[in-house]
Amino acid sequence: MAELDLITKVVKAIQTPSFTRVLNRFITEIIDVDSTVIVGYQSGKRPVYLFDSLSRQRELLFNQYLPHHYTDDPFFNLMSTECESGIYCLKALIANQGFNQNFQADFYQSTHWKDELGIICNLGNGRYIAIFLGRFDHHFSQADSVLLTLYLELVVSLCGQHWKFEAFDMSSPPNSELKTMIERALDGFGEGLLTNAEHRVAKLLLLGLDSEGIAKQHGVKVGTVKNQRKKIYKKMKVASLGELFSSFLNHAINSNE
């Protein structure tokens, strides 16, 4: 009955900001995990952050993985081959692909994840939802993978319904106080330095959109957005999206002390 109740809650959360959070609760009732990261992938584009439950080294996700290290991730390489939906084990992917030593030394070891499973949901048209499940102290077993496989079709269907017509977008924070804090930090980021148009672009960049997505949303040319990005980087004294994330995180922390 508890499982049915959770499935019902996930279904009710479709097309609402709480979907990823409720979906994560359902998955973590199936198997024991220490951390979850959910991202959206679209062919040829940067991954979009959707949700995380990280308790350690969370800044690595925003400062390193999302800006650039994702290109060395075996899961990203798998999705780049237009793989089918499935439960994939990091160890098996490494055995097939090898493991970029720089990725392992510069990023992965710092996460303290001992093992990782990925629920890869192929939504069609080069769009994927990747649900990364991590453990700190012990490995996933074959039984864990088999158990998740029993629910794979359901999870893919739920994600397909939620993102059927919608662009990948970040989930809402787990409580109204945190949501208010983030919104206030976004609204004040670059105040006095950026024009209104540049601020809107910076905000959308921080929320995970790329230049093409921003241009489409604002009804302008991609070149216009790219020029605005250059101006934003210059005014904020950063050289990359990762540094922009770092600058925003520092701003968010300091503005809410």
Side-chain angles (χ1 to χ4, degrees):
M1 182 61 69
E3 179 182 300
L4 182 59
D5 287 343
L6 282 173
I7 294 174
T8 301
K9 288 179 180 178
V10 180
V11 172
K12 288 182 177 180
I14 291 173
Q15 299 295 311
T16 73
S18 64
F19 174 76
T20 48
R21 189 169 63 254
V22 180
L23 177 65
N24 177 62
R25 183 182 175 191
F26 170 62
I27 292 171
T28 55
E29 286 292 325
I30 299 173
I31 65 168
D32 177 44
V33 302
D34 294 313
S35 296
T36 304
V37 174
I38 304 178
V39 297
Y41 285 101
Q42 188 159 352
S43 180
K45 295 187 177 182
R46 189 184 301 275
V48 176
Y49 168 84
L50 300 173
F51 172 87
D52 78 87
S53 64
L54 296 171
S55 59
R56 303 181 188 177
Q57 303 293 339
R58 189 169 186 259
E59 66 277 6
L60 294 175
L61 175 64
F62 298 100
N63 293 350
Q64 296 188 32
Y65 182 81
L66 292 173
H68 51 86
H69 270 314
Y70 72 92
T71 58
D72 295 320
D73 185 352
F75 288 103
F76 173 79
N77 294 331
L78 174 71
M79 287 180 281
S80 298
T81 65
E82 300 183 359
C83 68
E84 297 296 323
S85 297
I87 309 300
Y88 295 91
C89 174
L90 179 62
K91 290 182 293 185
L93 293 180
I94 292 173
N96 291 330
Q97 301 177 15
F99 204 7
N100 184 299
Q101 295 301 316
N102 291 331
F103 178 71
Q104 183 177 22
D106 296 343
F107 172 74
Y108 204 83
Q109 288 182 348
S110 300
T111 68
H112 301 299
W113 282 20
K114 187 169 186 177
D115 201 5
E116 182 177 359
L117 286 179
I119 304 175
I120 306 301
C121 304
N122 187 336
L123 305 186
N125 298 317
R127 301 171 76 241
Y128 290 87
I129 294 296
I131 305 171
F132 302 129
L133 308 175
R135 282 180 176 170
F136 295 131
D137 301 318
H138 58 292
H139 291 282
F140 289 102
S141 65
Q142 182 64 32
D144 291 323
S145 296
V146 171
L147 187 55
L148 284 174
T149 301
L150 297 176
Y151 294 90
L152 175 63
E153 187 174 348
L154 173 62
V155 173
V156 174
S157 178
L158 291 168
C159 289
Q161 287 299 314
H162 181 68
W163 282 288
K164 186 175 183 179
F165 301 112
E166 298 295 326
F168 296 137
D169 197 6
M170 184 167 56
S171 70
S172 65
N175 59 68
S176 58
E177 183 179 350
L178 181 57
K179 180 179 180 180
T180 300
M181 183 194 79
I182 293 174
E183 289 177 346
R184 184 166 57 242
L186 284 169
D187 289 341
F189 185 62
E191 187 175 12
L193 296 173
L194 305 178
T195 66
N196 290 337
E198 290 165 354
H199 179 264
R200 287 193 294 270
V201 170
K203 186 174 181 179
L204 291 173
L205 286 170
L206 292 167
L207 289 174
L209 273 71
D210 60 10
S211 295
E212 185 177 322
I214 295 171
K216 184 177 181 180
Q217 183 163 321
H218 284 178
V220 299
K221 295 180 179 179
V222 175
T224 300
V225 177
K226 288 183 177 179
N227 287 333
Q228 289 173 318
R229 286 183 69 161
K230 291 179 182 178
K231 293 178 181 178
I232 292 167
Y233 287 3
K234 183 177 181 180
K235 291 181 179 181
M236 299 304 298
K237 301 185 186 303
V238 299
S240 66
L241 184 59
E243 290 184 11
L244 188 69
F245 271 120
S246 296
S247 179
F248 171 70
L249 290 174
N250 289 331
H251 163 74
I253 292 169
N254 293 329
S255 64
N256 287 280
E257 286 182 344

